[in-house]
Amino acid sequence: MKILLLILCIFFSLYAENNKLYNNGVSDRTLIKKHIPYGIDMSHAKLQCNQILANIGYVSCFNYKTNTPLWSSYTITSNEVSERSKRYGRFLYDKRVPKRHRVKTSDYTHSHYDRGHLLPNAAIDGDNLKRQKQAFLLTNIAPQVGRGFNRDSWRYLESQVRKWARRRKTLNVVTGVWFDNNPKKIGRTHKVSVPTYWYKIIYDPIKNKSIAFWMPNKYYTSKNAWKRYQTTIDDIEKRTGIDFYNNLQKTKQIIMEKRSSDFVF
């Protein structure tokens, strides 16, 4: 009996610790309402969400075919953005995902690709290392060209998003990846598809304005290359089959998604 009680105590202790890492006891429904407040309709998408993973700082859509997230969506406020952020620094596998799809950091070793964040670590209360752990879950990570992209041009785009968040008070951001029909794969234990494209959608719900970027996963010679890849949400929807912000009032959605403007660089 004592052994059974001990096993149960260990089980519930581990469960509580895992729960604290992911959602800290907040319901998935509450987190989805916060981070996907206007809906994302995947019913006509060419790739599907096999798991929706709700975290305190973001919600991600994980695909078993690619063993990557397809997107991570988060709502960010000016209070959650810091000029300089500490870095947690250790990537974590996600125990919520079935073992055969539970990507580990070793799957990226010697691949020549960075472990690219969809939700940037600096966007999740940058000075709070406990919350930053969530950004280092491998269900928020996809292979990304490092020098010239993840460490350079893409990083400058992420920095610009934080500047917009400070100016505009509240933004909803969707960062995603997309693939050619036969993507390259990396990984020792789990085969991880290498995205052909990375994209980012930024929406200001107060002004009903948006801006979007669609970038090939490649080396860029300029840190400001991201500025040349501005597009519209409409264009990203056509490429992916995903209907972003489908719960918005239809007129507002149509106007906002056709334009990519009103965001000063």
Side-chain angles (χ1 to χ4, degrees), residues 184-198:
K184 178 180 177 180
K185 295 182 186 294
I186 62 169
R188 294 178 176 180
T189 308
H190 308 87
K191 293 304 177 184
V192 182
S193 297
V194 177
T196 313
Y197 303 98
W198 282 67

Side-chain angles (χ1 to χ4, degrees), residues 82-89 120-130 132-133 136:
S82 61
E83 281 289 345
R84 295 182 180 180
S85 63
K86 298 175 183 177
R87 185 177 172 90
Y88 176 69
N121 64 292
I124 185 170
D125 192 0
D127 292 325
N128 187 328
L129 291 182
K130 287 184 179 179
Q132 265 210 42
K133 275 187 177 182
F136 284 83

Side-chain angles (χ1 to χ4, degrees), residues 8-62:
L8 287 172
C9 285
I10 292 171
F11 172 80
F12 285 113
S13 175
L14 291 171
Y15 176 81
E17 189 61 33
N18 288 337
N19 202 41
K20 192 178 292 184
L21 170 61
Y22 303 126
N23 58 31
N24 206 22
V26 181
S27 71
D28 284 2
R29 183 176 180 180
T30 298
L31 293 171
I32 289 169
K33 187 175 180 180
K34 176 183 178 181
H35 294 299
I36 314 178
Y38 310 104
I40 299 178
D41 181 6
M42 298 289 293
S43 60
H44 299 292
K46 297 165 187 175
L47 291 168
Q48 293 294 315
C49 299
N50 296 114
Q51 269 187 273
I52 295 290
L53 300 166
N55 304 286
I56 288 292
Y58 66 102
V59 174
S60 65
C61 154
F62 193 79

Side-chain angles (χ1 to χ4, degrees), residues 31-40 57-61 70-78 80-81 117-124 140 154 157-166 168-177 198-205 209-213 233 236 244-245 256 263:
L31 293 171
I32 289 169
K33 187 175 180 180
K34 176 183 178 181
H35 294 299
I36 314 178
Y38 310 104
I40 299 178
Y58 66 102
V59 174
S60 65
C61 154
L70 296 182
W71 47 257
S72 289
S73 178
Y74 58 99
T75 296
I76 185 171
T77 67
S78 55
E80 295 170 320
V81 181
H117 293 77
L118 276 71
L119 165 84
N121 64 292
I124 185 170
N140 180 52
W154 188 258
L157 171 56
E158 291 176 335
S159 176
Q160 183 63 61
V161 173
R162 293 195 294 276
K163 290 177 184 176
W164 286 328
R166 281 192 289 271
R168 292 172 175 262
K169 306 304 180 187
T170 301
L171 294 175
N172 179 252
V173 183
V174 182
T175 303
V177 295
W198 282 67
Y199 67 86
K200 194 177 289 288
I201 294 168
I202 303 100
Y203 174 56
D204 181 341
K209 300 286 186 179
S210 72
I211 192 167
F213 301 87
I233 297 175
I236 294 175
F244 298 98
Y245 305 106
M256 177 270 290
F263 281 75

Side-chain angles (χ1 to χ4, degrees), residues 87 111-116 144-158 218-220 222-223:
R87 185 177 172 90
S111 69
H112 305 295
Y113 287 95
D114 280 4
R115 301 165 184 88
Q144 190 171 27
V145 170
R147 192 167 66 90
F149 192 29
N150 181 42
R151 305 172 211 171
D152 296 287
S153 186
W154 188 258
R155 181 167 65 90
Y156 280 89
L157 171 56
E158 291 176 335
K218 68 175 188 176
Y219 172 84
Y220 295 89
S222 168
K223 66 183 183 182

